[in-house]
Amino acid sequence: MIEPFFLVAALLLIFMVCGIIRIVFGPTIPDRVVGLDTINTLVVAAMIILGAAYNEVIYIDVAIVYALLSFIGTLYIAKYLEGGM
Amino acid sequence: MIEEIIQIVVLSIIVIAGIMAISFKDLLAAVISFTAASLLLSLEFYILQAPDVAIAEAGIGAALTTAIFILAIKGTVRREES
């Protein structure tokens, strides 16, 4: 019997593989940044799904912290590409 | 069973991102690959059920290291001479 939550997490991992392919083969830097941001969002979703799969409430806090911090990393790269900072 | 498959896939992506981080000539692309590797390392800590380590890795690897590397690239050259 396969747990449905783990099945969803495995599906999200397949999407993460697509994002890493974009990072590896992306011809320009903005392609790679968009791939990284996609992986960020998918990791947050996978953390919430796995928190439901492990049946632990405290694991959701990690996803909240991660959703806040991954935004800052993308923001720094975007500010550098803009030429400001 | 499916947990082991998830761990194998996450670790494979970490290895791919690590190899890319040391093989790109463009340092900004290398920083992006390194960020992706530390991101998925945080997910691996999470799957191994260590949420406090995952929070620390997320804070240091995703936000702080990326910001400081970007500031360092800003202060020096972006392309590595080969």
Side-chain angles (χ1 to χ4, degrees):
Chain A
M1 180 62 193
I2 296 177
E3 292 256 345
F5 285 129
F6 283 119
L7 207 59
V8 176
L11 197 61
L12 287 172
L13 273 176
I14 295 173
F15 298 154
M16 279 179 219
V17 172
C18 299
I20 210 81
I21 287 171
R22 179 44 67 191
I23 288 182
V24 171
F25 293 109
T28 62
I29 289 294
D31 286 333
R32 296 194 167 105
V33 178
V34 170
L36 180 70
D37 202 41
T38 308
I39 295 178
N40 275 334
T41 313
L42 286 173
V43 164
V44 172
M47 279 178 175
I48 291 176
I49 292 293
L50 286 170
Y54 294 137
N55 209 0
E56 296 264 0
V57 181
I58 196 74
Y59 283 14
I60 305 298
D61 296 346
V62 186
I64 295 172
V65 171
Y66 208 92
L68 190 63
L69 289 176
S70 63
F71 165 69
I72 297 174
T74 312
L75 195 67
Y76 258 92
I77 301 174
K79 284 291 281 183
Y80 175 75
L81 286 175
E82 191 194 8
M85 199 159 71
Chain B
M1 168 60 185
I2 196 160
E3 267 193 89
E4 281 85 6
I5 295 175
I6 289 173
Q7 289 202 11
I8 287 169
V9 173
V10 170
L11 292 171
S12 310
I13 302 174
I14 290 172
V15 169
I16 292 171
I19 290 171
M20 283 301 126
I22 62 170
S23 63
F24 276 137
K25 292 297 177 198
D26 193 346
L27 291 182
L28 193 57
V31 168
I32 291 171
S33 292
F34 175 76
T35 308
S38 89
L39 179 73
L40 289 152
L41 187 63
S42 170
L43 183 63
E44 175 63 28
F45 285 146
Y46 188 91
I47 293 171
L48 290 173
Q49 308 203 8
D52 43 357
V53 189
I55 287 180
E57 175 67 30
I60 294 173
L64 211 61
T65 313
T66 307
I68 289 177
F69 276 162
I70 291 290
L71 286 175
I73 292 174
K74 181 88 175 170
T76 57
V77 293
R78 178 172 152 188
R79 289 214 168 260
E80 174 186 359
E81 294 91 7
S82 60

